[in-house]
Amino acid sequence: MIKDFEYLAPKTLGEALALLEKHGDECKVIAGGQSLLILMRQGLVAPAYLIDIKGLPGLATIKLDPKEGLKIGALVTHRAIEKSPEIQQRFGVLHEMERRLASIQTRNWGTIGGNLCHADPAGDPAPVLIAMNATVTVTSTKGPRTVPLEDFVLDYFETAMQHNELLTEIRVPTPAPQTGTVYSKFNVIESELGTVGVAVSITLSSKDRTCGDVRIVLGGAGPRPLRAKQAEAALRGKKITDDLLKEAGERAAAEAQPISDINASADYRRELLKVQVRRMAAEALSRAEKN
Ligand SMILES: Cc1cc2nc3c(=O)[nH]c(=O)nc-3n(C[C@H](O)[C@H](O)[C@H](O)COP(=O)(O)OP(=O)(O)OC[C@H]3O[C@@H](n4cnc5c(N)ncnc54)[C@H](O)[C@@H]3O)c2cc1C
């Protein structure tokens, strides 16, 4: 049963921030409610005040800037990202990721900001956005600050945001030429959270498959999205071969910190990561060669 709370619906960002400042950790923000309402129904979260931000103006837009890249407002829904022609053409991997996130009903309500703030270690957007070197803007009454997404998620369902802050924007830089980015999740039930997820972004420095830069990010493999830095080191600066791809997979599996739960054992998750990292890195390489 959901405990009683006072419902507040600010009309502007300024009003919302003032309410957050005033009510501190007694309040909770609600956007699409797809994660929060479940926690409230289970009695795991029981705020005295619920601040509904879904109607705030200016936070539900997608903008493409030639210099600054892609800017996605925190209130943009998963479905809007999936359907955006600009994203489909220029940041296709985000479209592919969103297409397989939850059901259409959940995608219609759930927001990208809510997903990142909920910080579920199996969430889909964080690994792919970290692989793309995304940053987030968090705003309080004192103004905005920018945080690399990689540093935003701290632990299971915990972020670097303070009680008086709102996530307002996600920024994704335009990928360098010869960059290929891929994300795939392995899930038992389609339209559910993945057992593991793997995002790989490779930038080639020459035509002969030499890896200039690489980011490999694992989801469902620890308390937060995990950069597999040993696996990246296996590829960075080298001419990529099948043996190196295999080594990257093995290193990623070794540095992952998966748990055993109702969906899979830790060993099974490691095995999946080993295979998925090898396959996704091969696919990222193939895309980089075409870009
Ligand atoms: C059936 C089902 C299947 C799902 N499958 C998947 C899946 O396959 N992959 C996946 O990644 N996710 C999945 N999800 C999770 C879903 O994507 C998220 O629940 C949704 O994106 C959260 O967004 P929301 O706007 O509904 O957030 P809310 O539920 O409103 O809020 C979530 C949390 O974020 C906080 N919050 C929200 N917006 C902000 C903001 N702008 N600033 C600060 N704090 C904020 C809230 O206080 C709350 O703590 C699934 C959910 C359901 C119910």
Side-chain angles (χ1 to χ4, degrees), residues 29 31-36 78 102 111 115 117 123-124 167 185 192:
V29 161
Q34 296 301 294
S35 294
L36 184 64
H78 296 295
T111 63
N115 187 293
C117 293
D124 293 304
L167 173 57
K185 69 172 162 187
E192 277 289 344

Side-chain angles (χ1 to χ4, degrees), residues 30 32-42 45 78 106 110-111 114-115 117-120 157 193:
I30 185 165
Q34 296 301 294
S35 294
L36 184 64
L37 288 176
I38 294 172
L39 298 181
M40 287 175 68
R41 233 181 272 136
Q42 290 170 341
V45 177
H78 296 295
T106 301
T111 63
N115 187 293
C117 293
H118 183 55
D120 188 320
F157 305 101
L193 289 158

